[in-house]
Amino acid sequence: AQRVTQPEKLLSVFKGAPVELKCNYSYSGSPELFWYVQYSRQRLQLLLRHISRESIKGFTADLNKGETSFHLKKPFAQEEDSAMYYCALLTTSGTYKYIFGTGTRLKVLA
Amino acid sequence: GAVVSQHPSRVICKSGTSVKIECRSLDFQATTMFWYRQFPKQSLMLMATSNEGSKATYEQGVEKDKFLINHASLTLSTLTVTSAHPEDSSFYICSAEVGTDTQYFGPGTRLTVL
């Protein structure tokens, strides 16, 4: 089954603390994974994708095929990072579609 | 950057009526548009994928006669909720894709069916 799992609904951290938002996937094909972010009262937007191996706003995510994970990390959280984060899988074998995880709300406390 | 608009942003209708939601890519031509539904405090559920000039591909469990999708051009896709009922009340979000794997989202449409 094709699935994306984000085990934490809510993650609260203090400003300056490290952050890790967990994402695990289930997919038999070659995965393409993304993190999307939704700030309060704004639309969903792409944060980063694994194929780019980029760092956006200090966030990084490494695809671990052995653990089928794509956790999102940031060494020092900022208050402006508070948002809803969604991990998504793009399936390209067979049907072309995006599968989203249930999302994790990150709250960065002052 | 690429902008996707949705209209209307909010609609309230009576049970039994049909509602049309428009999704437009304002400054680019979209190869593919996606329609999602989001329930309160839940994730986005893909409803259908549409490509210009061809029939939409619906996800399992999504009634194609209930949720009509028309993709008339490379910049416009419409979702019509036919004979809407209260259980259709939800937040509907579209996205447009440029090339492959670059999705731009609309702001969403809140549908309330009384």
Side-chain angles (χ1 to χ4, degrees), chain A residues 10 17 21 26 39 47 49 58 61 73 77 94 97:
Chain A
L10 172 66
L21 301 171
S26 174
Y39 300 103
L47 180 62
R49 71 192 82 188
K73 299 177 184 179
K97 67 177 183 181

Side-chain angles (χ1 to χ4, degrees), chain B residues 6-23:
Chain B
Q6 272 183 252
H7 178 79
S9 58
R10 187 184 296 258
V11 57
I12 301 172
C13 69
K14 291 183 178 180
S15 187
T17 60
S18 294
V19 174
K20 180 186 282 188
I21 302 170
E22 289 187 352
C23 176

Side-chain angles (χ1 to χ4, degrees), chain B residues 29-40:
Chain B
Q29 292 186 329
T31 49
T32 304
M33 287 185 169
F34 301 91
W35 286 96
Y36 296 88
R37 184 172 177 176
Q38 187 175 33
F39 293 98

Side-chain angles (χ1 to χ4, degrees), chain A residues 32 34 36 38 43-46 49 51 86 90 95-98 100-103, chain B residues 3-4 34 36 38 42-44 46 49 59 97 99-103 105-107:
Chain A
E32 288 193 43
F34 305 81
Y36 288 89
Q38 189 169 28
R43 69 186 69 192
L44 205 62
Q45 57 185 285
L46 177 67
R49 71 192 82 188
I51 58 173
Y86 293 95
L90 173 62
T95 309
Y96 182 92
K97 67 177 183 181
Y98 290 87
F100 281 78
T102 49
Chain B
V3 179
V4 175
F34 301 91
Y36 296 88
Q38 187 175 33
Q42 294 191 34
S43 187
L44 284 78
L46 180 65
T49 303
E59 293 301 300
E97 196 174 54
T100 57
D101 83 11
T102 304
Q103 246 188 135
F105 286 87

Side-chain angles (χ1 to χ4, degrees), chain A residues 26-80:
Chain A
S26 174
Y27 181 51
S28 58
S30 183
E32 288 193 43
L33 287 148
F34 305 81
W35 277 99
Y36 288 89
V37 60
Q38 189 169 28
Y39 300 103
S40 179
R41 299 184 188 279
Q42 293 187 30
R43 69 186 69 192
L44 205 62
Q45 57 185 285
L46 177 67
L47 180 62
L48 54 81
R49 71 192 82 188
H50 92 269
I51 58 173
S52 301
R53 301 185 67 81
E54 58 203 341
S55 173
I56 303 294
K57 299 184 179 182
F59 284 97
T60 59
D62 291 319
L63 176 61
N64 186 322
K65 290 187 178 181
E67 296 182 357
T68 60
S69 68
F70 188 58
H71 303 327
L72 183 67
K73 299 177 184 179
K74 183 169 183 176
F76 308 103
Q78 303 298 315
E79 288 181 76
E80 55 265 30

Side-chain angles (χ1 to χ4, degrees), chain B residues 2 6-8 15 19 21 29-30 35 38-39 48 52 55 61-63 65 68 79 82 90 95 97 103 109 114:
Chain B
Q6 272 183 252
H7 178 79
S15 187
V19 174
I21 302 170
Q29 292 186 329
W35 286 96
Q38 187 175 33
F39 293 98
E52 183 261 344
K55 289 184 179 180
V62 178
E63 299 176 57
D65 294 330
L68 299 177
L79 168 68
T82 61
S90 194
S95 72
E97 196 174 54
Q103 246 188 135
T109 297
L114 304 176

